Amino acid sequence: MTYELYYWPGLQGRGEFIRLALEDAGAPYIDVARSAEHGGVRALQAMMAGSCARGPSPFAPPFLKTDDLVLAQVANILHFLGPKLELVGATEASRHHALQLQLTIADLIAEVHDTHHPASTQLYYEDQKPEALRRTQSFLDARLPKFLGYLERNVQDNSSGAGAHLLGAEHCYVDLSVYQIVEGLRYAFPTAMKAMEPKVPGLVTVHNRVAERPRIKAYVASGRRIAFNENGIFRRYPELDLVPSWASATT
Ligand SMILES: N[C@@H](CCC(=O)N[C@@H](CS)C(=O)NCC(=O)O)C(=O)O
């Protein structure tokens, strides 16, 4: 079956978490909004505007269309794809633990988004720069170490994971998302990440292991992976590349 992924063209955004799973599994898919042949962004907009026979119509991209279903919400899509792409353990517990971690990553992603859009998603970044500065400092001071520290603990506490897996002994879609958040955070907040990475060696190990996976390597080298840019979730604004308070205190 060929999956149809619907996500805004021109940015990695939340769609990249789904792309990485499909790419890693070698699953056939059409990135609909990037394909003029398949209707491009108009097809995406039509899906959101219309009623949907295959489930509730999606509120926002990314969403995934299969032969039977349309599914939205990154964590929900990965929860669905996990067993089909063999990107999650076989037990009910492992599927729900993966979902739990992915939902926490969704919370982190929302907070990363809010560093550049703290006042309103409806306004341009340029219209909320003072708020963004304040929000980013607070994010880097407290929330980044809290989220990454939590994920790191899961790598360390996973006794069967050899320090390179979030869950159990097997590779899983959450590991792919950890790769993406490390990549994105390095792009957006290089100063903070330089100080943060020695504190989260397990996450760096997961990142490096994923980066070496043959299909991920091929995808990154293919040119099909859109470069990070200032339309996505992870944006590099030099004025927001702040030194976290805990880093200045210790370095
Ligand atoms: N919680 C949703 C968030 C989806 C979302 O916010 N999508 C963004 C693009 S990354 C969007 O197009 N939002 C439009 C809107 O909120 O009106 C998920 O994880 O999929």
Side-chain angles (χ1 to χ4, degrees), residues 7-8 13-14 59-62 73-75 106 233:
Y7 192 69
W8 302 115
R14 289 180 172 89
F59 175 75
Q73 296 282 350
V74 171
I233 301 284

Side-chain angles (χ1 to χ4, degrees), residues 74-104 166-168 170-174:
V74 171
N76 184 42
I77 296 168
L78 291 173
H79 181 61
F80 169 80
L81 285 176
K84 295 185 166 41
L85 304 184
E86 296 183 19
L87 282 174
V88 74
T91 65
E92 184 178 37
S94 48
R95 289 198 310 276
H96 282 281
H97 287 150
L99 178 61
Q100 172 183 325
L101 291 174
Q102 194 65 42
L103 285 164
T104 306
L166 265 286
L167 279 171
E170 301 297 325
H171 175 65
C172 138
Y173 66 76
V174 183

Side-chain angles (χ1 to χ4, degrees), residues 14 105-115 135 233:
R14 289 180 172 89
I105 288 173
D107 292 342
L108 166 60
I109 295 303
E111 294 202 23
V112 171
H113 168 272
D114 290 351
T115 60
R135 180 66 180 256
I233 301 284

Side-chain angles (χ1 to χ4, degrees), residues 23 31 46 59 83 114 226:
E23 293 282 347
D31 208 335
F59 175 75
D114 290 351
I226 300 162

